[in-house]
Amino acid sequence: METITHLKWRYATKKYNQEKVSGDKIQQILEAVNLSASSCGIQPYRIFVISDQELKARLAEGSFNGQIAESSHLLVFAAFNMITTEYIEEYISMAERQRNLPSGAMSDMKNMMVNYFAGNSDEANAIWAEKQAYIGLGTALIAAAELQVDSTPMEGFDPQQFDTLLGLQEKGLHTAVILSLGYRDAANDFLAGMLKVRLPLDEFAVAAP
């Protein structure tokens, strides 16, 4: 299974070299995330792709993660602040068009989602949206590894700083998690040559009684 080989190769890269990831590979990673699973399929997050070095440096201020500024590209997974009825209606209309269904064919699903999210607080829905973003993050990690692009998932940053610099509040979004992409500086990354450490599979995955 090629995926296993790729996952053995990947690690949370600590130091990047100056080589840039091609636009084609970035697009492939983004397409993989776009195809990723999300509850109800409604993708309640957006990805901001940052390659500008000055902006990456400003985003990195105050963080212990040097990979933010050093990376070739930074992906910012920004979750919805609210799940609105308007968004659900637009999503359902899009789904009907893409599936060549008549208007209203998915009204039962639309009503179910509207009622469900309306019954939750905005805070609960925002947390739910963040969890969906993390599913996308996992897909991005696997896709990058398949393309032999190094990556580092990170939470050690100032989310308010990210939200402000990217104007996310005005877009109804907030930063959930970030992912740096690039190529490892093997000579200066102490983890580059180390064996990946994981629990034995029979201890990690246990058959239910």
Side-chain angles (χ1 to χ4, degrees):
M1 184 177 180
E2 287 295 319
T3 302
I4 299 299
T5 300
H6 298 146
L7 291 177
K8 287 181 177 179
W9 172 85
R10 74 148 298 276
Y11 73 107
T13 305
K14 301 302 181 186
K15 294 286 291 182
Y16 289 98
N17 62 30
Q18 298 300 307
E19 185 179 357
K20 299 300 182 182
V21 180
S22 70
D24 177 65
K25 288 187 175 181
I26 295 296
Q27 284 303 116
Q28 289 184 68
I29 293 169
L30 294 173
E31 183 174 3
V33 180
N34 192 40
L35 293 169
S36 187
S38 71
S39 182
C40 301
I42 64 173
Q43 299 174 279
Y45 62 95
R46 296 292 181 264
I47 301 176
F48 290 79
V49 184
I50 301 167
S51 58
D52 181 79
Q53 187 57 44
E54 182 179 348
L55 178 55
K56 286 187 294 177
R58 291 180 66 192
L59 292 169
E61 291 176 2
S63 172
F64 57 82
N65 287 311
Q67 302 96 318
I68 296 174
E70 293 175 357
S71 63
S72 168
H73 291 72
L74 185 70
L75 303 187
V76 178
F77 290 74
F80 285 15
N81 294 335
M82 298 185 295
I83 311 298
T84 66
T85 296
E86 180 183 15
Y87 180 76
I88 294 170
E89 289 174 344
E90 290 175 352
Y91 166 79
I92 291 296
S93 293
M94 179 190 70
E96 290 173 341
R97 291 194 302 272
Q98 290 190 7
R99 292 174 173 173
N100 295 315
L101 297 173
S103 178
M106 297 176 64
S107 60
D108 287 347
M109 181 178 181
K110 178 189 70 178
N111 293 334
M112 179 274 294
M113 287 195 290
V114 167
N115 291 333
Y116 174 78
F117 290 110
N120 295 335
S121 67
D122 288 342
E123 180 182 9
N125 286 336
I127 292 172
W128 172 84
E130 290 179 6
K131 292 180 179 180
Q132 307 311 305
Y134 273 80
I135 296 174
L137 171 69
T139 301
L141 288 167
I142 296 170
E146 183 175 344
L147 295 168
Q148 298 285 281
V149 173
D150 286 296
S151 61
T152 313
M154 291 173 279
E155 288 186 328
F157 58 90
D158 183 345
Q160 290 186 343
Q161 185 165 278
F162 272 67
D163 292 354
T164 299
L165 290 174
L166 299 178
L168 297 188
Q169 188 63 38
E170 296 84 350
K171 299 178 176 70
L173 300 165
H174 64 281
T175 306
V177 67
I178 62 177
L179 178 68
S180 60
L181 299 170
Y183 295 102
R184 66 188 69 176
D185 181 359
N188 294 297
D189 188 341
F190 71 97
L191 279 179
M194 289 190 177
L195 185 68
K196 184 184 288 288
V197 177
R198 291 294 186 270
L199 290 168
L201 187 57
D202 58 0
E203 182 178 341
F204 177 71
V206 182

